[in-house]
Amino acid sequence: MSPTQIAPSVTYYLLFPDSHHTAGNRSAGYMLSKEVQEAGFGIEPDELAEIVRSHDTKSLERNEGVEGLAKRVCVSLQDGVHSQDISHRQKIYGCNRFTEKPQRSFWMFVWDAMQDLTLMILIVCAVISVGVGISTEGFPKGMYDGVTREGKRQKVSIYELVVGDIVHLSIGDVIPADGIFISGFSLLIDESSLSGESEAVHVDKERPFLLSGTSVQDGSAKMLVTSVGMRTEWGKLMDTLNEGGDDETPLQVKLNGVATIIGKIGLGFAVLTFLVLTGRYLLEKVQQHEITHWSIDDASKLLNFFATAVIIIVVAVPEGLPLAVTLSLAFAMKKLMNDKALVRHLSACETMGSAGCICTDKTGTLTTNHMVVDKLWICEQTKAIKKGDGESLFKKFVSEEIFDLFLQSIFQNTGSEIVKGEDCKNKIMGTPTETALLEFGLNLGGDSKSYNDKYKIIKVEPFNSTKKKMSVLVALPEGTINKSRAFCKGASEIILRMCNKVVSADGKVVDLNEEQRKSIMEVIDGFASEALRTLGMAFKDMEGSSSEANAIPEDSYTLIAIIGIKDPVRPGVKEAVKTCLEAGISVRMVTGDNINTAKAIAKECGILTDGIAIEGPDFRNKSQQELEEIIPKLQVMARSLPLDKHKLVTHLRNDFNEVVAVTGDGTNDAPALHEADIGLAMGIAGTEVAKENADVIVMDDNFATIVNVAKWGRSVYINIQKFVQFQLTVNVVALMLNFVSACVSGSAPLTAVQMLWVNMIMDTLGALALATEPPHDGLMKRTPIGKDTKFITPVMWRNIIGQSIYQTVVLLLLKFRGKQILKLSDTDSPLLLNTVIFNAFVFCQVFNEINSRDMEKINIVRGMFSSWVFLLVIASTVIFQVIIVEFLGTFAQTVPLSKDLWLFSVLIGAVSLVIAVVLKCIPVGTTDSHYQATSHDGYEQLPTGPDMA
């Protein structure tokens, strides 16, 4: 049927002769647009896509099932789409292509780097300095799928698929578009790429929805394509990956603010200095009646005044800040690599330190993603199975006959296979549940080959999603009373209903009475309440000939056992979650699994305490007001779709101003990983798409590693605070020294080379010394730094202001009263006094660098001698200072100093240690959202006075 072969209005009434009935069938919010009606179709593209994406069975029924949908998209389920209709369908329902994020060129990265305000100021200063100096001194290949078109099967590119195409699916195929199941056999779909859950899903007419990006694990089927390209669930997922992603980290925002303020202050002082110097020079010319006489010398002096102003800007601008941040992040990145965390984006190190919320996946992150038998009910006894438990455990209470029967039911009634790998180790090929059973059987000393050799399998009924069981018929050896034996396993309630006998505590087969049936149901319910997937196992011996003609019985079985299977929680996860909660980081589980399993695992991990557990569909339908009420209490979200997790992260970031970390391993997690402030992908189980959109790759897939990343992130933040405190002190002192000296005497006491060396101390060496301190466990005892928390704390301001006042006063005294204080004669070179000022200034910074190791504690040497980087930096600074003063006089404009003057310079600097002790006795207000900047052992509460520990 082709919508283009007849008039649009005729097509509509042919498809829907009862227009009133049709209108009633329209889903709420969807009305046929003029474009769709004129094209001859009977359903909107978004409505059609939404039916499959949300698994909306009610809408499917309203549209009269797959046959009704076929009519609405004008296609025959037998013949498929006509070739001449393809462009027409693509115009209405879209093409089967995904929008890709455009690649950024090298010059785009260069341009981004140029936006840094500090860099801009320095570039302008460099250009001006050069000017002053000159004037004064000289696409991929597509996949292909079978599609029925024009009544015959043909292969077409997946990019050419259109709504209405009939796609033939078989084992191994990746589903190329969203669609509805038409017909097929034992179709088993692996939806882990979208849901993150490893258990395959059975698709049939009762559950007919097929999603793009999932793969066929077993069976075959025909599918009606209902949505393509960006309207598919996979397309929606890919679309979110193209959004945003360029947000600045919390620390970057704060540092930009600090750098901007300092730059403006420096610029203000520079302008003021230039105006003062120029004004004083003009006043002198007025007094000398030379205001109308100008020469090259006058122009040169004005340019020198401008050069002095530029020096003040250079001194004030914290150009070492980006270097310190990069060094600290690179150091943390290297250390985290040793701790099984691969940092893809440097900024992720510090962002994780500010994280106040972690939205984590369940399967593969909190759990091992490997199903195991956890509990077993057999012979009327329940046993918890621990790792390493073997046959000796069961032979104490299970007879040899029943034990052998139990192993036979495991190894023969299975859809999986045990194979030998290249390393000669057993490898199980099959579903996670089957794998768990076979592994359990092997641990009990069983051998599939011995049972298959002894008992010939006659007939197999594979697992059926409707019957929810699997059966097998085997021939018993000659000489036995019975000729054949049937085994059945499946959903415990169903298997129990099929049984009229049970294996008793003494290993005998007895009739199953109502009291026993009720007791077994309590066992099943108990297993289920612990998030165990329960399976019943039963057998039935039969007389008569054993042949394929014999039907596998449906009743009168004997119940052997009830098995509880689970995906166990990873070792260390519970402790890691506890550490997060103590650190003020809330942990939320977001999973595609059912809510009972999710709640049980969350309770076991310590995630679900007194909060809310909700299902994805409920969360999806909440209003904005309801979400604002629910999200702060939300601890578990089950049965979630990829975009549910994305929506949660978006709300946490935008509505609650949270710094959000997200963990995930599947392609389904990519949108949330991309949207979060920091995305953590699993290195072992993670897909390439997940890793590509993550900031950190957790190499061992362990949640405990994530806690380590958070600890290093907090350490980075504090290290940067230490460095900023140190650098701002140097900046303030240098700024005031140059400004006052220039205004009073007309020249700066420190030369350009000396200022370069001071910049080297406070930038490169200071960053190396202070930005590479390792973390300690005490960092995880406080709440995280909020986005709105001021970067420079009251404690930092106290230390900066106190040290700056001391250093500025002492150095200005030396500048203007140095000859009298040092008892220098008039014959001494002015360079001698300037050298002493320079030397004292440098040693003030050396000792203040030691002070900056701890912003609060008095004992700042604790742990210092174990930090070889710090000691190396201090030693290097002192050695190079000696070389500059004693041997590089011509270059640095210094003169050698006597021992007394060296001692005097060192003592001036050492007084900074005493000043620091006095300052730490001054109480200041602290915020609860800050953690203490200690770099040594243990955590302590931020005190309001001195800590003499």
Side-chain angles (χ1 to χ4, degrees):
M1 185 185 304
S2 171
T4 58
Q5 292 173 341
I6 50 180
S9 59
V10 176
T11 303
Y12 185 74
Y13 286 109
L14 276 173
L15 290 171
F16 312 112
D18 183 353
S19 59
H20 177 74
H21 173 72
T22 302
N25 276 348
R26 298 266 56 80
S27 297
Y30 291 103
M31 296 297 294
L32 280 183
S33 64
K34 183 179 178 182
E35 185 183 21
V36 172
Q37 289 188 47
E38 289 179 350
F41 297 112
I43 189 167
E44 283 290 316
D46 289 336
E47 179 186 1
L48 187 58
E50 186 63 26
I51 290 173
V52 178
R53 278 208 314 270
S54 59
H55 292 194
D56 192 345
T57 53
K58 291 182 179 178
S59 291
L60 183 62
E61 290 170 3
R62 266 201 308 270
N63 285 283
E64 301 170 1
V66 66
E67 292 82 6
L69 287 180
K71 290 178 183 178
R72 282 170 169 75
V73 296
C74 306
V75 71
S76 163
L77 292 179
Q78 284 72 42
D79 298 336
V81 172
H82 290 278
S83 298
Q84 64 266 31
D85 292 344
I86 292 173
S87 60
H88 181 67
R89 291 175 182 272
Q90 287 176 336
K91 182 180 177 182
I92 302 298
Y93 292 102
C95 300
N96 199 28
R97 289 181 180 273
F98 303 121
T99 305
E100 295 183 1
K101 194 172 184 178
Q103 293 284 339
R104 301 185 71 198
S105 67
F106 169 76
W107 296 110
M108 287 295 292
F109 288 103
V110 173
W111 177 252
D112 285 347
M114 296 288 286
Q115 305 310 303
D116 181 64
L117 181 61
T118 303
L119 192 58
M120 285 191 227
I121 294 173
L122 290 175
I123 290 173
V124 171
C125 290
V127 171
I128 294 172
S129 296
V130 170
V132 171
I134 291 172
S135 64
T136 57
E137 300 176 11
F139 171 52
K141 295 181 180 179
M143 292 166 51
Y144 292 87
D145 274 272
V147 179
T148 300
R149 279 186 182 166
E150 299 174 336
K152 59 185 179 181
R153 284 191 65 168
Q154 49 187 294
K155 284 192 174 183
V156 300
S157 166
I158 59 168
Y159 302 123
E160 295 174 9
L161 282 178
V162 293
V163 170
D165 270 329
I166 311 299
V167 177
H168 296 255
L169 302 172
S170 56
I171 294 176
D173 286 347
V174 175
I175 298 175
D178 285 2
I180 301 285
F181 176 91
I182 299 172
S183 62
F185 305 95
S186 304
L187 187 63
L188 197 62
I189 301 296
D190 179 4
E191 292 188 349
S192 59
S193 61
L194 284 177
S195 70
E197 298 304 312
S198 54
E199 194 71 19
V201 176
H202 290 269
V203 176
D204 50 30
K205 291 194 174 182
E206 297 297 318
R207 190 193 181 284
F209 305 107
L210 293 158
L211 298 174
S212 172
T214 59
S215 58
V216 180
Q217 196 174 87
D218 197 8
S220 60
K222 284 200 301 181
M223 173 188 93
L224 172 68
V225 175
T226 58
S227 53
V228 293
M230 301 307 291
R231 284 195 173 93
T232 63
E233 179 66 17
W234 186 268
K236 294 286 183 184
L237 187 150
M238 290 294 112
D239 189 41
T240 60
L241 302 184
N242 297 332
E243 300 171 358
D246 298 323
D247 295 343
E248 289 184 320
T249 68
L251 182 59
Q252 284 174 334
V253 172
K254 292 174 182 178
L255 290 180
N256 286 343
V258 171
T260 301
I261 292 171
I262 295 171
K264 288 178 180 178
I265 293 172
L267 183 62
F269 270 96
V271 171
L272 187 60
T273 302
F274 180 73
L275 292 176
V276 169
L277 291 174
T278 304
R280 193 175 67 175
Y281 184 68
L282 291 175
L283 186 61
E284 288 176 359
K285 287 186 74 70
V286 169
Q287 290 173 346
Q288 297 170 7
H289 305 289
E290 295 179 356
I291 192 64
T292 57
H293 302 288
W294 293 87
S295 64
I296 297 295
D297 288 340
D298 293 327
S300 179
K301 284 185 178 180
L302 289 175
L303 282 172
N304 282 332
F305 295 158
F306 189 80
T308 302
V310 170
I311 289 174
I312 288 177
I313 293 178
V314 172
V315 169
V317 172
E319 70 272 19
L321 209 49
L323 174 64
V325 173
T326 303
L327 277 174
S328 187
L329 293 176
F331 181 76
M333 179 181 179
K334 184 179 178 183
K335 293 294 183 181
L336 281 170
M337 189 66 187
N338 298 332
D339 292 337
K340 306 296 183 184
L342 174 62
V343 180
R344 296 184 67 246
H345 301 137
L346 267 181
S347 59
C349 293
E350 58 90 0
T351 309
M352 192 63 195
S354 300
C357 169
I358 299 176
C359 295
T360 178
D361 192 18
K362 175 182 74 71
T363 308
T365 307
L366 299 174
T367 63
T368 61
N369 196 22
H370 184 82
M371 303 294 281
V372 296
V373 174
D374 185 70
K375 282 192 173 180
L376 173 69
W377 178 91
I378 188 171
C379 295
E380 298 185 341
Q381 294 190 52
T382 301
K383 293 290 180 182
I385 309 301
K386 297 178 181 177
K387 191 174 182 180
D389 285 347
E391 57 183 312
S392 57
L393 174 70
F394 293 91
K395 288 189 174 178
K396 295 175 183 176
F397 67 95
V398 178
S399 67
E400 189 71 39
E401 182 184 355
I402 299 301
F403 183 73
D404 186 68
L405 185 69
F406 177 60
L407 287 180
Q408 185 186 358
S409 69
I410 290 176
F411 288 114
Q412 294 208 280
N413 189 19
T414 180
S416 297
E417 184 181 1
I418 301 173
V419 297
K420 290 278 186 183
E422 292 182 0
D423 54 0
C424 297
K425 292 183 179 179
N426 288 325
K427 187 177 180 182
I428 301 170
M429 311 293 289
T431 65
T433 301
E434 293 276 18
T435 300
L437 284 175
L438 290 177
E439 281 183 348
F440 184 56
L442 292 172
N443 290 338
L444 294 179
D447 177 22
S448 62
K449 188 176 184 302
S450 63
Y451 286 105
N452 289 330
D453 289 345
K454 185 176 180 181
Y455 305 97
K456 182 184 176 184
I457 296 176
I458 304 169
K459 193 173 186 179
V460 176
E461 284 185 0
F463 183 86
N464 184 292
S465 59
T466 304
K467 294 183 177 180
K468 295 184 178 179
K469 66 182 181 68
M470 176 184 181
S471 305
V472 65
L473 186 66
V474 300
L476 297 177
E478 292 183 9
T480 55
I481 299 173
N482 300 304
K483 299 295 184 183
S484 59
R485 176 177 292 162
F487 288 105
C488 188
K489 75 173 179 191
S492 301
E493 299 88 346
I494 293 173
I495 300 300
L496 182 58
R497 283 200 298 266
M498 296 170 61
C499 295
N500 60 359
K501 292 183 176 63
V502 66
V503 178
S504 65
D506 57 3
K508 306 293 184 184
V509 175
V510 297
D511 289 335
L512 183 61
N513 58 46
E514 283 306 311
E515 186 178 341
Q516 287 175 312
R517 193 179 293 274
K518 185 178 178 182
S519 175
I520 295 168
M521 274 306 301
E522 288 175 355
V523 170
I524 295 171
D525 292 340
F527 283 12
S529 67
E530 296 176 36
L532 301 182
R533 185 172 295 164
T534 63
L535 287 175
M537 305 187 77
F539 80 102
K540 181 179 182 178
D541 286 343
M542 298 175 291
E543 300 178 0
S545 62
S546 56
S547 68
E548 291 187 24
N550 291 357
I552 300 178
E554 295 289 330
D555 55 19
S556 302
Y557 278 85
T558 301
L559 184 66
I560 306 171
I562 301 293
I563 296 178
I565 297 173
K566 70 181 291 187
D567 183 5
V569 172
R570 282 182 177 276
V573 164
K574 190 172 183 179
E575 293 77 10
V577 170
K578 184 181 178 184
T579 302
C580 284
L581 297 177
E582 288 175 349
I585 303 172
S586 60
V587 182
R588 293 176 169 91
M589 178 199 288
V590 185
T591 177
D593 212 339
N594 70 75
I595 193 156
N596 292 326
T597 302
K599 286 168 69 175
I601 295 294
K603 285 178 181 176
E604 187 176 348
C605 295
I607 294 173
L608 184 59
T609 51
D610 55 354
I612 293 174
I614 195 172
E615 291 189 326
D618 295 334
F619 178 80
R620 224 172 292 145
N621 296 325
K622 296 291 183 186
S623 66
Q624 176 67 22
Q625 185 178 351
E626 289 174 320
L627 288 174
E628 289 178 2
E629 293 174 1
I630 288 173
I631 287 177
K633 307 170 192 172
L634 181 63
Q635 292 180 328
V636 175
M637 189 194 295
R639 287 184 59 216
S640 65
L641 292 176
L643 296 183
D644 294 333
K645 197 172 188 178
H646 180 269
K647 182 178 180 180
L648 174 62
V649 172
T650 304
H651 278 287
L652 284 167
R653 295 187 69 212
N654 299 340
D655 298 343
F656 298 93
N657 206 27
E658 291 260 24
V659 179
V660 184
V662 168
T663 73
D665 55 1
T667 303
N668 60 301
D669 297 315
L673 290 169
H674 180 77
E675 172 67 18
D677 292 286
I678 176 169
L680 301 118
M682 300 300 107
I684 300 171
T687 64
E688 287 305 312
V689 176
K691 293 175 186 176
E692 185 65 28
N693 287 278
D695 301 294
V696 177
I697 299 175
V698 182
M699 305 302 289
D700 59 354
D701 288 15
N702 198 332
F703 189 82
T705 303
I706 297 168
V707 178
N708 219 17
V709 177
K711 185 164 70 174
W712 271 99
R714 294 187 172 194
S715 177
V716 166
Y717 191 96
I718 286 175
N719 287 342
I720 301 302
Q721 281 187 313
K722 294 177 192 175
F723 173 76
V724 167
Q725 175 185 292
F726 168 69
Q727 189 183 48
L728 286 187
T729 305
V730 182
N731 280 1
V732 170
V733 175
L735 188 68
M736 295 306 298
L737 184 62
N738 277 282
F739 172 70
V740 175
S741 298
C743 292
V744 174
S745 65
S747 63
L750 302 178
T751 67
V753 173
Q754 290 170 359
M755 286 307 305
L756 182 64
W757 172 235
V758 171
N759 268 10
M760 181 74 76
I761 294 172
M762 71 180 188
D763 292 345
T764 310
L765 297 178
L768 274 172
L770 296 172
T772 55
E773 293 273 348
H776 57 86
D777 292 335
L779 292 175
M780 300 303 287
K781 302 286 186 185
R782 289 295 296 270
T783 54
I785 297 290
K787 282 184 179 179
D788 299 327
T789 305
K790 298 294 183 183
F791 180 74
I792 302 179
T793 65
V795 170
M796 293 170 67
W797 278 124
R798 179 194 65 189
N799 296 339
I800 292 167
I801 293 170
Q803 290 289 350
S804 298
I805 291 173
Y806 163 71
Q807 292 184 27
T808 303
V809 169
V810 169
L811 294 173
L812 285 176
L813 276 174
L814 286 175
K815 170 67 178 174
F816 298 111
R817 293 289 182 267
K819 282 193 175 183
Q820 294 85 338
I821 294 171
L822 299 176
K823 299 179 180 178
L824 301 177
S825 65
D826 292 336
T827 58
D828 289 323
S829 166
L831 278 179
L832 181 61
L833 180 58
N834 286 343
T835 303
V836 173
I837 293 172
F838 168 58
N839 210 33
F841 181 58
V842 168
F843 276 99
C844 279
Q845 309 324 315
V846 169
F847 285 100
N848 195 37
E849 198 165 355
I850 297 173
N851 283 329
S852 297
R853 290 193 70 245
D854 198 304
M855 294 189 286
E856 191 63 36
K857 286 192 173 187
I858 289 175
N859 187 358
I860 39 82
V861 296
R862 184 188 299 169
M864 184 175 76
F865 297 103
S866 61
S867 177
W868 64 268
V869 175
F870 188 88
L871 293 175
L872 184 62
V873 168
I874 296 296
S876 301
T877 303
V878 173
I879 291 169
F880 277 109
Q881 179 66 14
V882 172
I883 293 172
I884 287 172
V885 170
E886 297 293 327
F887 304 107
L888 298 177
T890 305
F891 177 70
Q893 296 182 15
T894 58
V895 294
L897 299 178
S898 65
K899 292 180 181 178
D900 291 341
L901 291 178
W902 270 104
L903 181 61
F904 176 80
S905 301
V906 172
L907 287 175
I908 290 291
V911 174
S912 294
L913 298 175
V914 179
I915 297 295
V917 173
V918 174
L919 289 172
K920 288 171 184 177
C921 292
I922 301 173
V924 292
T926 56
T927 57
D928 291 337
S929 59
H930 257 61
Y931 28 72
Q932 184 174 344
T934 59
S935 58
H936 327 303
D937 53 341
Y939 165 84
E940 294 193 19
Q941 182 79 20
L942 272 173
T944 56
D947 179 0
M948 303 302 292

